Amino acid sequence: MCGIIGYSGPLNAKKILLEGLSQLEYRGYDSAGIAYFDTDSNIRLVKKTGKVANLKEYCSQFKDNAHCGIGHTRWATHGDVTDQNAHPHQAGKVTLIHNGIIENYRALTDSYHLEGTLKSQTDSEVAAWVLDSLYEGNPMEAIRRLLPCLEGSYSFCILFKDHPGELYAVRSVSPLVAAYTRSGALIASDLTALIPYTRRYFVVPEGQIVKLTPYQITLYDKNQVPAQPEYLEVNWNIDSAMKNGFPHFMLKEIYEQPEALRNTILPRMSRGLPDFTDDQIPDSVFETCNKVHVIACGTAMHAGMVARALMEPLLRIPVTVSIASEFRYEEPLIDGDALVIVISQSGETIDTLAAMRLAKSYGSKTLAIVNVKGSTIARESDYTLYTHAGPEIAVASTKAYSVQLAALYLIGCRMAYVRGRYSSQEACDFLSKLLDVIPAMETMIGRKEEEKALVTHLIQHSDAFFIGRGRDYAFSLEGALKLKEISYIHAEAYAAGELKHGTIALITDQSPVIAIATQEHVFSKVISNVREVKARGAFVILLTKQSAVMDESLADFHIRIPDVEDVFTVFPIAVILQLIAYYASLGKNLDVDQPRNLAKSVTVE
Ligand code: M6R
């Protein structure tokens, strides 16, 4: 959470910072600010509540020239959304921006006698004052002394008043990537801000300090000795992080799913079988485990639930799915024989990362399914399977979900094969059916007008219900999450059989019920549940396979997906659920890509 950018170089720093903040805005958008050395080498600080556009407009009055500065877009944790609480924060000679949480800020406030000095309610300002009090003219030394004082997670970019042109950065847990480019030295919380300038970058190692000047970027290890950064190459370009003619990132990302699936599946096919040789995941990982534990948050966790419904009956071993923020405070029943699969688009979600570390401490092997190359989860897991979806910018996750599913299905298939549950022919058949979901998704994208039409009813209501059984219930959870996060309609998903145990009391005349009935063995049961809500006046939006036979009068709105096998219906259904949420948000004239209170990457607990 929170977007961070820093620059030192020959170009117009203000422009670079403001443009970078626009690229990073999806990380947080309560307020934004920049600080830079002006022509007289004084630090100018400008910060404003609201979106980056607000800040840009406000900054246009300052005609000064700058070549070194820092910028921040905030997702509030400590303190309200006010100009004062916006970053950067200034304390004596120090000006800094922060992403993360300083958990011991109260203790630091007391021990450094900061009560009465602080101008904001933020933990970040406390860190700035502590750093200032440790500063005796040597930035590296002061930062080195600051780190042991801090508990929590942080990435900082720091200017020191008496060191114009220089910018210092350090991190623990919260991400930072940096690069020296032809345009100068750049550092940011996220690659999207660097990509207009370079494809080569490095991830700042935790606890190491980076110094940026117009001429170079230097990484110092924990002993303050210059260290060689480990450079990585981005495999997508700036176009992937632009809307490219689409009105919203979310719609663009929905459209990108077929391509993303191809990119994730095809390089991992060898002689018709899933193959992870290039990912350096040996079969022994799949052969030896006696249980699978999937850990993730939000949409990624929902992908895990769908995978469980595939893997457990197929592999005949226990497959458990946990919410990362719960798992990390439990005493999980895992050991060296468990395979722990963690799923994260960003690879930075703090709870998922902490849960993975816990799993490792129990001796389990960890396999991470991650979209962002070089992210912390990817680097710390024993094995990594990258999904190749390209950058996902909209806060509501769409293409990341379908590629996570594809990766999980590849794993399930490989596991079944190496454990003797699938013959090679069965594994090849499974994979070829997985590829068939791509045209099915394309079909549903092409029929987006259906969802556009049905939301007219939906957006007149403040509540909606998603029902389904088995896999359809797992899809419902994702449908409800998508709808509530961007349309603010209160949406709940229920296992259809549970309705009569309480929830059905909420169904009144015209209540929208989105019923998913794509699983053959429970189809008639779900249809019975649809009858029950219909009898109580519900407005039923029914999602079934093309060939489903039923009484048409049951549904007020009926969307049919191409006839794929039951295990694969999630892919076309996901498109429908995403488009329902998208058009509902649009119909209510809301901010589709940046819904209130949310941010793309959840790097605080
Ligand atoms: O980056 P991650 O996949 O770890 O993120 C997990 C969740 O925060 C994320 O899926 C969230 O639920 C989405 N905004 C939902 O659309």
Side-chain angles (χ1 to χ4, degrees):
M1 298 179 136
C2 298
I4 279 188
I5 180 159
Y7 172 76
S8 182
L11 305 184
N12 180 341
K14 249 190 318 180
K15 189 162 177 279
I16 289 179
L17 296 177
L18 291 170
E19 277 169 9
L21 289 183
S22 297
Q23 295 285 117
L24 295 169
E25 196 166 34
Y26 63 99
R27 294 186 67 94
Y29 30 84
D30 297 336
S31 51
I34 56 171
Y36 52 89
F37 289 100
D38 67 13
T39 18
D40 301 323
S41 293
N42 294 318
I43 293 181
R44 185 188 283 274
L45 177 66
V46 193
K47 47 191 194 173
K48 280 261 145 241
T49 53
K51 296 213 170 185
V52 174
N54 239 11
L55 178 72
K56 276 188 179 165
E57 199 187 312
Y58 188 74
C59 280
S60 60
Q61 63 182 293
F62 305 114
K63 303 292 174 214
D64 49 358
N65 218 351
H67 296 288
C68 175
I70 53 181
H72 186 272
T73 173
R74 178 173 185 242
W75 187 87
T77 58
H78 293 59
D80 301 345
V81 178
T82 62
D83 285 352
Q84 263 324 329
N85 288 338
H87 297 220
H89 291 284
Q90 271 187 327
K93 290 191 167 142
V94 167
T95 303
L96 64 69
I97 49 178
H98 169 221
N99 173 24
I101 291 184
I102 306 301
E103 287 167 2
N104 59 336
Y105 77 103
R106 279 190 197 284
L108 291 170
T109 305
D110 292 342
S111 46
Y112 283 81
H113 310 292
L114 298 175
E115 205 67 66
T117 307
L118 297 171
K119 295 184 281 288
S120 76
Q121 302 153 298
T122 65
D123 51 334
S124 315
E125 193 194 350
V126 173
W129 282 108
V130 174
L131 180 59
D132 183 62
S133 70
L134 299 171
Y135 181 59
E136 291 167 348
N138 180 341
M140 297 288 298
E141 183 55 24
I143 297 171
R144 195 187 61 75
R145 289 173 60 202
L146 171 73
L147 302 189
C149 305
L150 303 178
E151 286 167 22
S153 58
Y154 51 81
S155 51
F156 291 116
C157 284
I158 312 159
L159 304 178
F160 291 86
K161 196 175 174 179
D162 45 359
H163 284 259
E166 294 176 9
L167 191 170
Y168 295 82
V170 69
R171 78 174 192 101
S172 173
V173 185
S174 305
L176 271 181
V177 286
Y180 191 76
T181 74
R182 276 186 294 185
S183 310
L186 282 139
I187 190 155
S189 49
D190 207 320
L191 269 181
T192 45
L194 299 192
I195 212 77
Y197 307 96
T198 185
R199 296 173 71 86
R200 278 189 88 234
Y201 69 99
F202 65 92
V203 178
V204 176
E206 288 192 64
Q208 302 198 12
I209 302 171
V210 196
K211 177 179 175 184
L212 285 78
T213 70
Y215 316 106
Q216 62 183 355
I217 183 160
T218 319
L219 179 67
Y220 294 90
D221 69 14
K222 289 177 180 162
N223 304 315
Q224 297 204 44
V225 175
Q228 192 55 40
E230 196 184 312
Y231 273 91
L232 298 168
E233 189 100 11
V234 198
N235 56 358
W236 44 269
N237 58 28
I238 185 64
D239 268 7
S240 321
M242 309 294 274
K243 285 191 197 138
N244 291 340
F246 283 89
H248 300 99
F249 279 112
M250 183 178 178
L251 190 63
K252 173 179 174 248
E253 289 160 6
I254 291 172
Y255 270 68
E256 283 173 345
Q257 290 180 105
E259 186 61 17
L261 244 71
R262 274 184 213 105
N263 292 341
T264 297
I265 301 169
L266 294 179
R268 295 181 172 114
M269 273 182 79
S270 170
R271 281 174 283 149
L273 291 170
D275 185 290
F276 301 119
T277 311
D278 290 349
D279 303 292
Q280 295 173 346
I281 309 173
D283 281 341
S284 56
V285 175
F286 302 132
E287 279 161 348
T288 52
C289 62
N290 62 11
K291 68 162 85 159
V292 176
H293 208 111
V294 183
I295 307 171
C297 299
T299 291
M301 195 270 294
H302 293 156
M305 289 182 70
V306 178
R308 179 187 169 279
L310 167 79
M311 286 181 179
E312 200 167 71
L314 179 61
L315 304 174
R316 302 308 301 163
I317 54 173
V319 179
T320 320
V321 183
S322 293
I323 297 171
S325 55
E326 292 295 315
F327 176 88
R328 59 182 293 198
Y329 298 111
E330 288 165 357
E331 287 174 32
L333 278 176
I334 52 166
D335 53 25
D337 294 327
L339 170 63
V340 170
I341 301 179
V342 296
I343 314 169
S344 176
Q345 187 285 130
S346 61
E348 302 292 351
T349 300
I350 190 99
D351 285 317
T352 310
L353 174 63
M356 185 179 83
R357 286 176 176 166
L358 181 70
K360 286 182 94 167
S361 75
Y362 277 74
S364 302
K365 283 270 166 287
T366 54
L367 192 172
I369 297 176
V370 173
N371 195 40
V372 177
K373 212 169 160 184
S375 54
T376 312
I377 291 176
R379 282 179 296 108
E380 288 195 17
S381 57
D382 296 313
Y383 305 99
T384 303
L385 196 62
Y386 281 115
T387 50
H388 298 304
E392 191 180 64
I393 308 285
V395 165
S397 189
T398 53
K399 60 178 179 174
Y401 177 65
S402 37
V403 290
Q404 284 160 358
L405 286 166
L408 288 159
Y409 274 40
L410 288 174
I411 292 171
C413 182
R414 183 79 199 176
M415 281 184 88
Y417 173 62
V418 300
R419 296 172 76 96
R421 303 280 313 168
Y422 263 168
S423 66
S424 109
Q425 189 53 51
E426 283 168 327
C428 286
D429 287 350
F430 179 94
L431 201 47
S432 109
K433 285 174 194 158
L434 178 61
L435 285 171
D436 285 346
V437 304
I438 296 173
M441 290 178 96
E442 282 164 340
T443 303
M444 296 323 295
I445 291 170
R447 284 170 33 196
K448 65 180 192 308
E449 296 303 316
E450 294 179 347
E451 288 81 18
K452 200 172 182 175
L454 75 84
V455 300
T456 323
H457 177 86
L458 197 58
I459 61 176
Q460 286 161 19
H461 292 262
S462 51
D463 304 281
F465 301 89
F466 288 74
I467 60 169
R469 286 173 183 248
R471 288 192 188 93
D472 286 334
Y473 170 54
F475 314 162
S476 299
L477 288 164
E478 176 57 8
L481 172 62
K482 216 87 302 170
L483 185 65
K484 58 192 152 194
E485 78 173 318
I486 59 169
S487 78
Y488 314 152
I489 294 171
H490 167 239
E492 294 301 337
Y494 287 98
E498 270 293 289
L499 278 178
K500 290 190 285 292
H501 299 284
T503 314
I504 203 162
L506 295 170
I507 305 294
T508 56
D509 195 29
Q510 297 296 301
S511 298
V513 174
I514 294 143
I516 310 179
T518 69
Q519 303 299 302
E520 202 58 46
H521 67 301
V522 283
F523 180 77
S524 59
K525 305 278 176 203
V526 180
I527 294 300
S528 300
N529 300 136
V530 170
R531 283 185 203 288
E532 289 157 7
V533 292
K534 189 73 192 152
R536 283 150 184 92
F539 181 93
V540 174
I541 297 158
L542 182 61
L543 315 186
T544 68
K545 284 192 198 172
Q546 188 62 43
S547 59
V549 180
M550 43 160 298
D551 171 5
E552 282 300 327
S553 69
L554 256 189
D556 295 280
F557 219 103
H558 191 173
I559 301 183
R560 292 177 183 268
I561 58 165
D563 279 328
V564 293
E565 274 186 20
D566 290 11
V567 282
F568 299 107
T569 58
V570 62
F571 294 94
I573 287 289
V575 174
I576 300 175
L577 299 176
Q578 293 161 358
L579 287 168
I580 289 176
Y582 173 75
Y583 284 116
S585 179
L586 207 60
K588 291 181 75 178
N589 216 6
L590 299 171
D591 191 336
V592 173
D593 286 335
Q594 295 178 349
R596 71 180 175 215
N597 303 342
L598 290 169
K600 183 68 184 164
S601 172
V602 183
T603 52
V604 295
E605 290 181 40

PDB file of all heavy atoms in Angstrom, residues 297-300 343-347 349 352 395-397 404 481-482 485 600 602, ligand 1:
ATOM      1  N   CYS A 297      -5.037 -14.578   0.208  1.00  0.00           N
ATOM      2  CA  CYS A 297      -6.048 -13.602   0.653  1.00  0.00           C
ATOM      3  C   CYS A 297      -6.966 -13.253  -0.517  1.00  0.00           C
ATOM      4  O   CYS A 297      -6.529 -13.269  -1.671  1.00  0.00           O
ATOM      5  CB  CYS A 297      -5.388 -12.299   1.090  1.00  0.00           C
ATOM      6  SG  CYS A 297      -4.272 -12.469   2.461  1.00  0.00           S
ATOM      7  N   GLY A 298      -8.170 -12.854  -0.183  1.00  0.00           N
ATOM      8  CA  GLY A 298      -9.100 -12.285  -1.170  1.00  0.00           C
ATOM      9  C   GLY A 298      -9.306 -13.181  -2.372  1.00  0.00           C
ATOM     10  O   GLY A 298      -9.543 -14.390  -2.259  1.00  0.00           O
ATOM     11  N   THR A 299      -9.199 -12.571  -3.528  1.00  0.00           N
ATOM     12  CA  THR A 299      -9.427 -13.295  -4.782  1.00  0.00           C
ATOM     13  C   THR A 299      -8.487 -14.483  -4.924  1.00  0.00           C
ATOM     14  O   THR A 299      -8.877 -15.559  -5.393  1.00  0.00           O
ATOM     15  CB  THR A 299      -9.240 -12.297  -5.951  1.00  0.00           C
ATOM     16  OG1 THR A 299     -10.318 -11.368  -5.902  1.00  0.00           O
ATOM     17  CG2 THR A 299      -9.240 -12.982  -7.288  1.00  0.00           C
ATOM     18  N   ALA A 300      -7.243 -14.298  -4.517  1.00  0.00           N
ATOM     19  CA  ALA A 300      -6.268 -15.387  -4.633  1.00  0.00           C
ATOM     20  C   ALA A 300      -6.715 -16.578  -3.781  1.00  0.00           C
ATOM     21  O   ALA A 300      -6.565 -17.737  -4.171  1.00  0.00           O
ATOM     22  CB  ALA A 300      -4.896 -14.886  -4.205  1.00  0.00           C
ATOM     23  N   ILE A 343      -0.538 -18.159  -2.803  1.00  0.00           N
ATOM     24  CA  ILE A 343      -0.949 -17.510  -4.057  1.00  0.00           C
ATOM     25  C   ILE A 343      -1.012 -16.003  -3.816  1.00  0.00           C
ATOM     26  O   ILE A 343      -1.644 -15.555  -2.848  1.00  0.00           O
ATOM     27  CB  ILE A 343      -2.348 -17.993  -4.513  1.00  0.00           C
ATOM     28  CG1 ILE A 343      -2.449 -19.522  -4.423  1.00  0.00           C
ATOM     29  CG2 ILE A 343      -2.655 -17.528  -5.915  1.00  0.00           C
ATOM     30  CD1 ILE A 343      -3.868 -20.042  -4.609  1.00  0.00           C
ATOM     31  N   SER A 344      -0.376 -15.249  -4.681  1.00  0.00           N
ATOM     32  CA  SER A 344      -0.436 -13.791  -4.531  1.00  0.00           C
ATOM     33  C   SER A 344      -0.098 -13.116  -5.848  1.00  0.00           C
ATOM     34  O   SER A 344       0.962 -13.359  -6.428  1.00  0.00           O
ATOM     35  CB  SER A 344       0.557 -13.331  -3.455  1.00  0.00           C
ATOM     36  OG  SER A 344       0.563 -11.931  -3.385  1.00  0.00           O
ATOM     37  N   GLN A 345      -1.004 -12.301  -6.330  1.00  0.00           N
ATOM     38  CA  GLN A 345      -0.733 -11.532  -7.550  1.00  0.00           C
ATOM     39  C   GLN A 345       0.481 -10.659  -7.345  1.00  0.00           C
ATOM     40  O   GLN A 345       1.444 -10.704  -8.095  1.00  0.00           O
ATOM     41  CB  GLN A 345      -1.964 -10.691  -7.893  1.00  0.00           C
ATOM     42  CG  GLN A 345      -1.938  -9.952  -9.221  1.00  0.00           C
ATOM     43  CD  GLN A 345      -1.061  -8.724  -9.268  1.00  0.00           C
ATOM     44  OE1 GLN A 345      -0.234  -8.577 -10.188  1.00  0.00           O
ATOM     45  NE2 GLN A 345      -1.156  -7.835  -8.306  1.00  0.00           N
ATOM     46  N   SER A 346       0.439  -9.848  -6.292  1.00  0.00           N
ATOM     47  CA  SER A 346       1.490  -8.846  -6.069  1.00  0.00           C
ATOM     48  C   SER A 346       2.773  -9.477  -5.540  1.00  0.00           C
ATOM     49  O   SER A 346       3.863  -8.948  -5.750  1.00  0.00           O
ATOM     50  CB  SER A 346       1.006  -7.825  -5.044  1.00  0.00           C
ATOM     51  OG  SER A 346       0.725  -8.475  -3.806  1.00  0.00           O
ATOM     52  N   GLY A 347       2.623 -10.586  -4.831  1.00  0.00           N
ATOM     53  CA  GLY A 347       3.789 -11.187  -4.185  1.00  0.00           C
ATOM     54  C   GLY A 347       4.257 -10.391  -2.983  1.00  0.00           C
ATOM     55  O   GLY A 347       5.330 -10.629  -2.443  1.00  0.00           O
ATOM     56  N   THR A 349       1.689  -9.240  -0.451  1.00  0.00           N
ATOM     57  CA  THR A 349       0.652  -9.196   0.578  1.00  0.00           C
ATOM     58  C   THR A 349       1.242  -9.672   1.912  1.00  0.00           C
ATOM     59  O   THR A 349       1.715 -10.805   2.025  1.00  0.00           O
ATOM     60  CB  THR A 349      -0.551 -10.062   0.147  1.00  0.00           C
ATOM     61  OG1 THR A 349      -1.029  -9.518  -1.074  1.00  0.00           O
ATOM     62  CG2 THR A 349      -1.654 -10.051   1.178  1.00  0.00           C
ATOM     63  N   THR A 352       0.071 -12.957   3.601  1.00  0.00           N
ATOM     64  CA  THR A 352       0.444 -14.148   2.836  1.00  0.00           C
ATOM     65  C   THR A 352       1.935 -14.428   3.030  1.00  0.00           C
ATOM     66  O   THR A 352       2.353 -15.573   3.209  1.00  0.00           O
ATOM     67  CB  THR A 352       0.099 -13.947   1.343  1.00  0.00           C
ATOM     68  OG1 THR A 352      -1.253 -13.496   1.256  1.00  0.00           O
ATOM     69  CG2 THR A 352       0.253 -15.225   0.554  1.00  0.00           C
ATOM     70  N   VAL A 395      -7.801  -2.220  -9.099  1.00  0.00           N
ATOM     71  CA  VAL A 395      -7.791  -2.796  -7.746  1.00  0.00           C
ATOM     72  C   VAL A 395      -8.534  -4.140  -7.736  1.00  0.00           C
ATOM     73  O   VAL A 395      -8.101  -5.096  -7.095  1.00  0.00           O
ATOM     74  CB  VAL A 395      -8.380  -1.785  -6.736  1.00  0.00           C
ATOM     75  CG1 VAL A 395      -8.708  -2.467  -5.426  1.00  0.00           C
ATOM     76  CG2 VAL A 395      -7.381  -0.647  -6.512  1.00  0.00           C
ATOM     77  N   ALA A 396      -9.636  -4.203  -8.464  1.00  0.00           N
ATOM     78  CA  ALA A 396     -10.375  -5.478  -8.530  1.00  0.00           C
ATOM     79  C   ALA A 396      -9.599  -6.456  -9.401  1.00  0.00           C
ATOM     80  O   ALA A 396      -9.325  -6.197 -10.573  1.00  0.00           O
ATOM     81  CB  ALA A 396     -11.764  -5.241  -9.107  1.00  0.00           C
ATOM     82  N   SER A 397      -9.271  -7.568  -8.815  1.00  0.00           N
ATOM     83  CA  SER A 397      -8.449  -8.551  -9.513  1.00  0.00           C
ATOM     84  C   SER A 397      -9.297  -9.353 -10.500  1.00  0.00           C
ATOM     85  O   SER A 397     -10.358  -9.861 -10.157  1.00  0.00           O
ATOM     86  CB  SER A 397      -7.854  -9.479  -8.454  1.00  0.00           C
ATOM     87  OG  SER A 397      -6.914 -10.314  -9.031  1.00  0.00           O
ATOM     88  N   GLN A 404      -4.119 -17.536 -11.991  1.00  0.00           N
ATOM     89  CA  GLN A 404      -3.836 -18.318 -10.769  1.00  0.00           C
ATOM     90  C   GLN A 404      -4.524 -19.684 -10.878  1.00  0.00           C
ATOM     91  O   GLN A 404      -3.952 -20.723 -10.553  1.00  0.00           O
ATOM     92  CB  GLN A 404      -4.339 -17.572  -9.530  1.00  0.00           C
ATOM     93  CG  GLN A 404      -3.444 -16.416  -9.120  1.00  0.00           C
ATOM     94  CD  GLN A 404      -4.141 -15.390  -8.230  1.00  0.00           C
ATOM     95  OE1 GLN A 404      -5.324 -15.509  -7.927  1.00  0.00           O
ATOM     96  NE2 GLN A 404      -3.402 -14.376  -7.817  1.00  0.00           N
ATOM     97  N   LEU A 481     -17.462 -10.916  -3.876  1.00  0.00           N
ATOM     98  CA  LEU A 481     -16.350 -10.010  -3.534  1.00  0.00           C
ATOM     99  C   LEU A 481     -16.188  -8.936  -4.609  1.00  0.00           C
ATOM    100  O   LEU A 481     -16.064  -7.741  -4.315  1.00  0.00           O
ATOM    101  CB  LEU A 481     -15.044 -10.813  -3.381  1.00  0.00           C
ATOM    102  CG  LEU A 481     -13.763  -9.984  -3.216  1.00  0.00           C
ATOM    103  CD1 LEU A 481     -13.808  -9.136  -1.953  1.00  0.00           C
ATOM    104  CD2 LEU A 481     -12.523 -10.872  -3.192  1.00  0.00           C
ATOM    105  N   LYS A 482     -16.213  -9.392  -5.864  1.00  0.00           N
ATOM    106  CA  LYS A 482     -16.024  -8.450  -6.970  1.00  0.00           C
ATOM    107  C   LYS A 482     -17.105  -7.382  -6.944  1.00  0.00           C
ATOM    108  O   LYS A 482     -16.837  -6.201  -7.074  1.00  0.00           O
ATOM    109  CB  LYS A 482     -16.082  -9.246  -8.270  1.00  0.00           C
ATOM    110  CG  LYS A 482     -15.180  -8.806  -9.359  1.00  0.00           C
ATOM    111  CD  LYS A 482     -13.804  -9.387  -9.347  1.00  0.00           C
ATOM    112  CE  LYS A 482     -13.028  -9.140  -8.101  1.00  0.00           C
ATOM    113  NZ  LYS A 482     -11.816  -9.864  -8.005  1.00  0.00           N
ATOM    114  N   GLU A 485     -16.783  -4.904  -3.862  1.00  0.00           N
ATOM    115  CA  GLU A 485     -15.637  -4.004  -3.787  1.00  0.00           C
ATOM    116  C   GLU A 485     -15.693  -2.844  -4.775  1.00  0.00           C
ATOM    117  O   GLU A 485     -15.145  -1.788  -4.502  1.00  0.00           O
ATOM    118  CB  GLU A 485     -14.300  -4.755  -3.868  1.00  0.00           C
ATOM    119  CG  GLU A 485     -13.843  -5.217  -5.225  1.00  0.00           C
ATOM    120  CD  GLU A 485     -12.423  -5.804  -5.185  1.00  0.00           C
ATOM    121  OE1 GLU A 485     -11.541  -5.255  -4.510  1.00  0.00           O
ATOM    122  OE2 GLU A 485     -12.208  -6.815  -5.846  1.00  0.00           O
ATOM    123  N   LYS A 600      -4.350  -1.527  -4.160  1.00  0.00           N
ATOM    124  CA  LYS A 600      -4.064  -2.752  -4.901  1.00  0.00           C
ATOM    125  C   LYS A 600      -3.269  -3.777  -4.094  1.00  0.00           C
ATOM    126  O   LYS A 600      -3.554  -4.959  -4.125  1.00  0.00           O
ATOM    127  CB  LYS A 600      -3.303  -2.376  -6.179  1.00  0.00           C
ATOM    128  CG  LYS A 600      -2.997  -3.533  -7.086  1.00  0.00           C
ATOM    129  CD  LYS A 600      -4.266  -4.092  -7.686  1.00  0.00           C
ATOM    130  CE  LYS A 600      -4.023  -5.331  -8.526  1.00  0.00           C
ATOM    131  NZ  LYS A 600      -5.280  -6.055  -8.758  1.00  0.00           N
ATOM    132  N   VAL A 602      -1.774  -5.092  -0.562  1.00  0.00           N
ATOM    133  CA  VAL A 602      -2.050  -4.916   0.862  1.00  0.00           C
ATOM    134  C   VAL A 602      -0.798  -5.270   1.668  1.00  0.00           C
ATOM    135  O   VAL A 602      -0.604  -6.404   2.081  1.00  0.00           O
ATOM    136  CB  VAL A 602      -3.272  -5.751   1.284  1.00  0.00           C
ATOM    137  CG1 VAL A 602      -3.617  -5.511   2.745  1.00  0.00           C
ATOM    138  CG2 VAL A 602      -4.461  -5.389   0.416  1.00  0.00           C
TER     139      VAL A 602
HETATM  140  O1  M6R B   1      -1.680  -9.464  -4.399  1.00  0.00           O
HETATM  141  P1  M6R B   1      -2.528 -10.539  -3.779  1.00  0.00           P
HETATM  142  O2  M6R B   1      -3.003 -11.526  -4.788  1.00  0.00           O
HETATM  143  O3  M6R B   1      -1.839 -11.222  -2.646  1.00  0.00           O
HETATM  144  O4  M6R B   1      -3.787  -9.807  -3.214  1.00  0.00           O
HETATM  145  C1  M6R B   1      -4.757 -10.503  -2.480  1.00  0.00           C
HETATM  146  C2  M6R B   1      -6.011  -9.684  -2.311  1.00  0.00           C
HETATM  147  O5  M6R B   1      -5.719  -8.480  -1.661  1.00  0.00           O
HETATM  148  C3  M6R B   1      -6.689  -9.369  -3.644  1.00  0.00           C
HETATM  149  O6  M6R B   1      -6.959 -10.521  -4.358  1.00  0.00           O
HETATM  150  C4  M6R B   1      -8.001  -8.590  -3.401  1.00  0.00           C
HETATM  151  O7  M6R B   1      -8.910  -9.417  -2.766  1.00  0.00           O
HETATM  152  C5  M6R B   1      -8.559  -8.062  -4.734  1.00  0.00           C
HETATM  153  N1  M6R B   1      -8.634  -6.636  -4.699  1.00  0.00           N
HETATM  154  C6  M6R B   1      -9.933  -8.519  -5.020  1.00  0.00           C
HETATM  155  O8  M6R B   1     -10.377  -8.077  -6.255  1.00  0.00           O
END
